[in-house]
Amino acid sequence: MIKYSNGKSYSPKQIKKSDDKKTVSLKRHLSSANRGMDLEGDINSSNEYYKEHDLCLITKRPTPINVVKVDYSKGAIITNAYFEKQSTTDYNGVYKGRYIDFEAKQTKSKTSFPLANISKHQIAHLKHVLEHGGIAFFIIEFVTKDEVYLLDAKYVIEFYENGNRKSIPYETFLSVGHKIKRGYAPRLDYLPIVEKIYVKN
Amino acid sequence: MIKYSNGKSYSPKQIKKSDDKKTVSLKRHLSSANRGMDLEGDINSSNEYYKEHDLCLITKRPTPINVVKVDYSKGAIITNAYFEKQSTTDYNGVYKGRYIDFEAKQTKSKTSFPLANISKHQIAHLKHVLEHGGIAFFIIEFVTKDEVYLLDAKYVIEFYENGNRKSIPYETFLSVGHKIKRGYAPRLDYLPIVEKIYVKN
């Protein structure tokens, strides 16, 4: 909890339960320093919003960790473990019965999204999702532009497998991507895009 | 690797790559001591089989772990962490575009499946899955009977919320459950049941 000079205090819980405009702007102010650094947080809170409003159910896969040693004398404390590479994607879930699967990434580049931080395993996973009729995409943030796009996985797979390029040009996002609207709740409203491009048509 | 008196050796890798009948029966022999103790392994290998044969894509969610301390001096070794309770289910994925979500549990009881090891959060999660048109079920093994059943989540939710009972009688599995065939590959062939009760009709 943060105490302010006016004697009022701020707590995240307070914000969650209140629609008060002042509280909202306070929260935005507090988080503006991290603008562009918290794509994951924005997606998680949007998913929470969608769940609470019965719009869809998307969950984040836990980070895979390889546990080497557990100390049971203190009630199962893990004392030796290491992070494993995610072989699938960060998010999946269900919308109107359909399977949804996506990965979220950020780039500081202004001109293109580098493919270096997408693994072969993730591309293989997304190809399988598409094969089985699932909805697969990326949510990619151009941090310095403060712009977030939804891009169907097939384009990323194409660029990844083409081999001539090591990045996807920004122009591709403008032409075949879909800009996601930022807001307060949900913070990244990507579901209307999913509805429009995958479900409605 | 295990060395045998006939000079031959056994390695799990060898089994995976070979269809040789002897190797197969050796594996079955070796695992028979653990019969009924490895439901998770059976499901994982069945999912692997389904993936390799392009039948569906079901992945296991990693165990959620809360990381307290990481030692970066040795290259990101986790030195303090603890297991968190799974608030969703163990498995989800896609079959013919449809979202699938399930939890696997075992019981040593011969007469009923106790609801004690299913959490409130898991029930809430499965209700959301059903609300959004997803396919949700349990795979439950009666270890002492060596029988495995697929039971639609709605029955488990009903029993869980009814409150009068703390377990689901074995008879319920016989009447509304679906017995899963055991085999070599896949070891637990639950997909034809999913096809029959959720997709075909």
Side-chain angles (χ1 to χ4, degrees):
Chain A
M1 191 178 283
I2 302 165
K3 287 268 179 189
Y4 290 95
S5 53
N6 60 5
K8 288 187 177 171
S9 60
Y10 157 75
S11 103
K13 274 184 190 166
Q14 188 188 327
I15 278 175
K16 210 179 169 188
K17 285 180 183 164
S18 162
D19 281 322
D20 175 54
K21 296 279 179 202
K22 265 192 182 168
T23 322
V24 168
S25 63
L26 175 60
K27 176 162 187 176
R28 298 206 108 181
H29 171 72
L30 285 168
S31 67
S32 67
N34 295 321
R35 177 64 54 85
M37 294 304 285
D38 195 22
L39 179 62
E40 188 181 308
D42 286 350
I43 292 172
N44 292 347
S45 83
S46 301
N47 290 342
E48 196 55 40
Y49 176 93
Y50 291 147
K51 191 174 108 177
E52 281 171 9
H53 290 75
D54 288 329
L55 294 168
C56 69
L57 180 68
I58 310 283
T59 56
K60 188 177 184 304
R61 289 189 175 94
T63 307
I65 289 173
N66 195 311
V67 176
V68 180
K69 208 173 166 187
V70 180
D71 183 351
Y72 288 100
S73 71
K74 293 169 194 162
I77 301 289
I78 299 161
T79 55
N80 188 355
Y82 56 90
F83 296 103
E84 284 192 317
K85 219 168 184 171
Q86 186 71 271
S87 63
T88 58
T89 50
D90 281 344
Y91 297 93
N92 71 354
V94 56
Y95 175 58
K96 296 187 176 175
R98 299 281 302 275
Y99 177 80
I100 288 180
D101 196 301
F102 68 92
E103 178 71 13
K105 293 282 183 199
Q106 297 177 301
T107 179
K108 285 178 182 168
S109 164
K110 284 176 183 170
T111 54
S112 66
F113 171 73
L115 294 168
N117 55 357
I118 298 174
S119 77
K120 251 195 284 186
H121 291 294
Q122 289 182 317
I123 293 292
H125 172 79
L126 289 166
K127 284 174 82 170
H128 275 115
V129 170
L130 292 176
E131 263 172 42
H132 293 292
I135 294 167
F137 54 85
F138 281 76
I139 289 181
I140 289 170
E141 179 177 29
F142 286 88
V143 177
T144 49
K145 289 177 185 285
D146 194 18
E147 290 176 1
V148 186
Y149 291 88
L150 185 154
L151 185 66
D152 190 279
K154 74 179 173 196
Y155 299 110
V156 182
I157 295 165
E158 263 176 40
F159 273 96
Y160 199 92
E161 296 190 333
N162 183 325
N164 294 331
R165 286 193 64 99
K166 282 174 179 166
S167 63
I168 304 174
Y170 175 65
E171 287 70 30
T172 301
F173 291 85
L174 296 180
S175 60
V176 294
H178 302 265
K179 197 170 175 179
I180 302 175
K181 212 180 75 186
R182 277 196 191 280
Y184 172 63
R187 263 142 76 183
L188 272 179
D189 200 11
Y190 66 88
L191 198 62
I193 299 170
V194 172
E195 168 70 23
K196 190 181 153 200
I197 66 176
Y198 298 110
V199 181
K200 217 176 185 178
N201 296 331
Chain B
M1 193 177 281
I2 302 165
K3 286 266 180 191
Y4 289 94
S5 53
N6 61 3
K8 288 186 176 171
S9 60
Y10 156 76
S11 103
K13 274 185 192 165
Q14 186 187 329
I15 279 177
K16 212 181 168 186
K17 285 180 182 164
S18 161
D19 280 323
D20 175 52
K21 294 283 179 201
K22 264 194 182 166
T23 321
V24 169
S25 65
L26 175 60
K27 178 168 184 165
R28 299 206 107 183
H29 171 72
L30 286 169
S31 67
S32 66
N34 296 320
R35 176 63 55 86
M37 294 303 285
D38 195 21
L39 179 61
E40 187 180 310
D42 286 350
I43 292 172
N44 292 347
S45 83
S46 301
N47 289 342
E48 196 55 40
Y49 176 93
Y50 291 147
K51 190 174 109 177
E52 282 171 9
H53 291 77
D54 288 329
L55 294 169
C56 69
L57 179 68
I58 310 281
T59 57
K60 190 178 182 304
R61 286 189 176 95
T63 306
I65 290 172
N66 194 311
V67 176
V68 180
K69 207 174 167 185
V70 180
D71 184 352
Y72 289 101
S73 71
K74 291 169 195 163
I77 300 289
I78 298 161
T79 55
N80 188 355
Y82 55 89
F83 296 103
E84 285 192 318
K85 219 167 185 173
Q86 185 71 272
S87 63
T88 59
T89 51
D90 281 345
Y91 297 94
N92 71 354
V94 55
Y95 175 58
K96 295 188 177 175
R98 300 282 301 274
Y99 177 79
I100 288 179
D101 196 301
F102 68 92
E103 178 71 14
K105 293 281 182 198
Q106 295 178 302
T107 180
K108 284 178 182 168
S109 164
K110 284 176 184 168
T111 54
S112 67
F113 171 73
L115 295 168
N117 56 358
I118 298 173
S119 78
K120 253 194 282 187
H121 291 295
Q122 289 182 318
I123 293 294
H125 173 79
L126 289 166
K127 283 175 83 170
H128 276 115
V129 170
L130 292 176
E131 262 171 42
H132 293 293
I135 295 167
F137 54 84
F138 280 75
I139 290 182
I140 289 170
E141 180 176 30
F142 286 88
V143 177
T144 50
K145 289 177 185 284
D146 194 18
E147 290 174 2
V148 186
Y149 292 88
L150 185 153
L151 185 66
D152 190 278
K154 72 179 175 197
Y155 298 110
V156 181
I157 294 166
E158 263 175 39
F159 273 96
Y160 199 91
E161 297 191 332
N162 184 325
N164 295 330
R165 287 192 63 101
K166 283 174 177 167
S167 63
I168 303 174
Y170 175 66
E171 287 72 29
T172 301
F173 291 86
L174 296 181
S175 59
V176 293
H178 301 266
K179 196 171 177 181
I180 302 174
K181 212 180 74 185
R182 276 197 190 279
Y184 172 63
R187 264 144 73 184
L188 271 178
D189 200 11
Y190 66 89
L191 198 61
I193 298 171
V194 172
E195 168 70 23
K196 192 181 152 203
I197 67 175
Y198 297 109
V199 182
K200 217 176 185 177
N201 294 331

